[in-house]
Amino acid sequence: MLEISNLRLPLDAGLPHGENLVRRRIAKAVGCEPRCIADMRLLKRSVDARKKNDVHFVATYAFSLIDADELDAVRRGCRPPVHLKLHEPYVGYRPKRLKRRPAIRPVVVGTGPAGLFAAWALAKAGACPLVVERGECVDGRLESVARFNEGGPLDPDSNIQFGEGGAGTFSDGKLTTNTKNPRCKDVLHIFAEAGAPKEILWQAKPHIGTDLLVDVVRRMREEIVAMGGEVRFDARFESPRFANGSLESVSIVDVKTGKAECVQARHLVLACGHSARDTFQAVHDAGLFMERKPFSVGVRIEHPQKLIDRSQYGKAASHPALGAADYKLAVHLESGRGVYTFCMCPGGEVVCAASEEGGVCVNGMSRFAREGRNANAAVLVGVDDRDLPGDSVLAGVELQRMMERAAYEAAGSTYAAPAQYVGDFLAHRASDGPVDEGVVPTYARGVAWCDLRQVLPEFVSRSIEEALPLLDKRLRGFASKTAVMTGVETRSSSPVRIVRQKDTMQAVFREGADSSQNGTGVYPCGEGAGYAGGIMSAAVDGLRVAEALIDALACEEERG
């Protein structure tokens, strides 16, 4: 088959009847008759909306010719900007296969994207991992989250942050990343084989949506079990135990009964997620080397989705092939700080993301159809060492907690979210209730109208105030007076990094602590460990760590 890229297509090509239109465009681009084009398969498609009066698709297709003798003529007929090459089909992900099951199976902590993909690759290699997750399976987790949204008590172990699928299960399911790792294609195909929509294989900005992600992570867990792995829910990792510098066992607690168990382990994938603050403390107490890393905090901002559609697509906004528009914005302030939008959720809602009692934090999610009335995104301000007191490696965690507790207090010591209209925020006055034509917040537990400066650190509120007009220049209507901001967004990424070696991917001890020449046996992985920033990059890191661990297990096999 051949592969044609940079093919310009009208929006109607994205409609169900658009196949013949595409066939004609490919034929015209390569200089042959439409009847010469046989099979066609969409490989990639993006929206080009740089000119609002000329919104169109740019696509890549694989296709074959009815008559192979036409090949030379087709190659000669293709002219830039369209490019033509032989198509290389995807061959599938194949990790190294172990000869036998390890005598002591590896343990994977966490079932977010990093832990889930690490466990899946280990199981596929024949390593039969034990996977422990402090939260519930996805079905139980859905019930716990629903109860909390309806006003029930917070379950600190099973919520938006913890449980099967990790924090990404209640998100837009966005599969975009700046990572150029070739494993990205593997992640997309593994997701698709687990039931994700096939569109993710060709969308330029693929997403699954929270409503479909729950089934996908369930199927991946079932595959892990079918391949010899074991998955335990309501099982919280407490601490690692070392002997002569190498992992000897891990302590696991049943969160329902409080019963502790010591599990023999020589290899541990630590994919705990960015909100596992007790795990960070346990790792630090065990003597492993951790360091502060930059992270971000801020608020969620909501606009009418129709406003975003018009700003991005102009008159084409109502075209049925486009769907809900998204955005990604960033500005650099004179102070040197960066302010940017993150985890934009078209047609989505702001969710209750607390995982500790007495603290409020928010996040965003969308369903696959993205049909909600509002768009939302985080507006985040970068945090670095100048913003953190002392030299504690966990100072970033304390900043997050301080903000979340301030939000809880501003909401009258409830799990409502403090909220303010953008116009009031810029005018330095508190919002005291809904206004005509104001955006209606989607946060399930309701909002407490206030002045967000009471909640945010001064450098954060000052940076957001300076950034809003600049962001509005990049997306008309972004700083609309009736847009609403809710706080606080503190869990966009981990404030710490569990340092690992580049070659072995294993954690190291702090200077002066005991160490083994074979390594610690602990493999920090994903967002919580500080090596990823979203579903895709976390899943890729899970595969990378699994491959390193499989190599270590294979070496142990050879040594007998």
Side-chain angles (χ1 to χ4, degrees):
M1 295 188 81
L2 297 172
E3 184 176 309
I4 185 170
S5 59
N6 207 26
L7 181 69
R8 180 189 171 111
L9 294 172
L11 296 179
D12 284 353
L15 299 177
H17 61 270
E19 183 175 337
N20 288 334
L21 192 160
V22 173
R23 188 183 303 276
R24 292 195 299 271
R25 288 300 176 99
I26 292 177
K28 182 178 180 180
V30 301
C32 71
E33 294 296 322
R35 59 180 175 78
C36 297
I37 306 295
D39 297 329
M40 300 185 306
R41 187 168 77 253
L42 179 59
L43 301 179
K44 188 69 67 177
R45 192 175 73 195
S46 61
V47 178
D48 187 339
R50 289 173 293 179
K51 297 180 180 178
K52 305 307 177 192
N53 61 350
D54 182 25
V55 179
H56 58 274
F57 291 127
V58 177
T60 300
Y61 275 83
F63 69 97
S64 59
L65 299 169
I66 291 177
D67 187 350
D69 293 336
E70 295 275 350
L71 180 59
D72 288 338
V74 163
R75 283 176 167 169
R76 290 194 300 271
C78 189
R79 295 287 184 271
V82 172
H83 301 284
L84 194 67
K85 66 176 184 178
L86 290 176
H87 174 63
E88 298 179 8
Y90 177 72
V91 296
Y93 182 73
R94 297 188 178 94
K96 183 185 296 183
R97 181 77 186 179
L98 298 174
K99 295 177 183 177
R100 59 183 179 274
R101 173 177 175 161
I104 302 174
R105 57 185 172 174
V107 176
V108 178
V109 172
T111 59
L116 194 65
F117 273 77
W120 182 89
L122 287 167
K124 194 171 181 66
C128 303
L130 168 63
V131 187
V132 296
E133 166 59 57
R134 70 195 301 162
E136 298 169 293
C137 69
V138 73
D139 297 299
R141 187 184 181 196
L142 286 170
E143 294 177 4
S144 294
V145 169
R147 282 195 299 270
F148 183 60
N149 286 344
E150 292 165 3
L154 173 69
D155 184 338
D157 288 301
S158 190
N159 44 62
I160 289 284
Q161 307 293 353
F162 300 133
E164 186 172 20
T169 302
F170 293 91
S171 71
D172 182 52
K174 210 178 302 293
L175 302 178
T176 52
T177 178
N178 293 327
T179 303
K180 301 299 181 184
N181 194 293
R183 296 176 186 83
C184 289
K185 182 177 286 189
D186 296 320
V187 170
L188 292 174
H189 279 269
I190 293 167
F191 269 137
E193 289 165 7
K198 300 300 182 185
E199 293 99 307
I200 68 172
L201 300 178
W202 53 259
Q203 289 172 328
K205 298 177 180 179
H207 82 286
I208 300 179
T210 190
D211 52 332
L212 303 187
L213 261 171
V214 293
D215 291 326
V216 173
V217 298
R218 185 191 298 111
R219 290 191 187 101
M220 288 193 68
R221 179 240 302 169
E222 291 169 350
E223 284 187 54
I224 291 168
V225 173
M227 292 187 289
E230 179 186 354
V231 182
R232 296 185 192 173
F233 296 105
D234 300 315
R236 184 175 64 238
F237 167 78
E238 286 286 287
S239 61
R241 297 178 184 176
F242 297 92
N244 300 318
S246 291
L247 185 69
E248 181 181 53
S249 64
V250 296
S251 176
I252 297 169
V253 172
D254 185 316
V255 302
K256 300 298 186 185
T257 66
K259 182 180 179 181
E261 178 185 2
C262 183
V263 177
Q264 188 179 14
R266 291 168 60 184
H267 303 280
L268 170 68
V269 176
L270 194 57
C272 58
H274 56 45
S275 294
R277 294 163 173 172
D278 52 352
T279 303
F280 297 157
Q281 185 67 60
V283 168
H284 185 262
D285 292 345
L288 294 178
F289 183 30
M290 298 171 64
E291 61 186 10
R292 294 177 177 180
K293 64 175 280 292
F295 64 106
S296 302
V297 296
V299 296
R300 278 271 149 184
I301 189 168
E302 290 190 84
H303 304 90
Q305 181 61 50
K306 289 183 178 180
L307 180 150
I308 304 301
D309 294 343
R310 290 194 301 270
S311 295
Q312 293 291 65
Y313 296 146
K315 293 181 180 179
S318 60
H319 197 285
L322 285 174
D326 64 359
Y327 60 80
K328 185 177 182 180
L329 309 172
V331 293
H332 291 281
L333 308 180
E334 291 183 3
S335 63
R337 293 191 187 276
V339 179
Y340 63 99
T341 63
F342 177 76
C343 187
M344 191 271 164
C345 298
E349 60 195 79
V350 177
V351 297
C352 317
S355 62
E356 291 185 345
E357 293 181 357
V360 167
C361 65
V362 298
N363 205 337
M365 77 176 194
S366 300
R367 291 169 177 78
F368 181 70
R370 292 174 164 176
E371 292 178 333
R373 67 179 184 273
N374 286 359
N376 75 80
V379 180
L380 299 178
V381 179
V383 179
D384 54 35
D385 268 347
R386 62 181 154 164
D387 307 309
L388 303 176
D391 57 3
S392 169
V393 72
L394 299 177
V397 170
E398 290 310 309
L399 176 65
Q400 292 174 326
R401 278 194 174 126
M402 179 191 73
M403 293 176 61
E404 291 164 17
R405 289 168 180 164
Y408 183 78
E409 292 171 5
S413 295
T414 72
Y415 290 104
Q420 187 176 18
Y421 289 108
V422 167
D424 291 334
F425 179 79
L426 293 176
H428 288 244
R429 61 174 178 259
S431 295
D432 55 11
V435 299
D436 291 342
E437 300 183 3
V439 172
V440 178
T442 55
Y443 184 81
R445 292 193 63 133
V447 300
W449 298 102
C450 67
D451 183 350
L452 285 171
R453 287 179 177 79
Q454 299 172 354
V455 175
L456 301 171
E458 193 274 337
F459 77 89
V460 175
S461 57
R462 184 179 67 250
S463 297
I464 292 175
E465 180 180 358
E466 186 179 346
L468 283 170
L470 300 176
L471 294 168
D472 192 78
K473 291 180 179 179
R474 287 162 170 73
L475 182 68
R476 187 181 298 275
F478 190 84
S480 167
K481 293 180 179 181
T482 54
V484 68
M485 299 190 297
T486 54
V488 288
E489 172 101 4
T490 53
R491 310 287 186 91
S492 63
S493 62
S494 176
V496 298
R497 178 176 289 111
I498 306 171
V499 177
R500 68 189 185 194
Q501 296 175 322
K502 289 185 178 180
D503 52 349
T504 68
M505 308 286 276
Q506 294 184 55
V508 296
F509 286 106
R510 292 195 295 273
E511 185 178 357
D514 191 16
S515 184
S516 167
Q517 63 179 3
N518 295 324
T520 58
V522 177
Y523 295 76
C525 184
E527 277 201 52
Y531 294 96
I535 293 175
M536 178 64 80
S537 59
V540 166
D541 199 56
L543 294 179
R544 292 179 64 218
V545 165
E547 290 160 12
L549 201 163
I550 292 165
D551 285 341
L553 292 171
C555 288
E556 291 177 8
E557 277 187 341
E558 293 176 5
R559 291 197 300 265

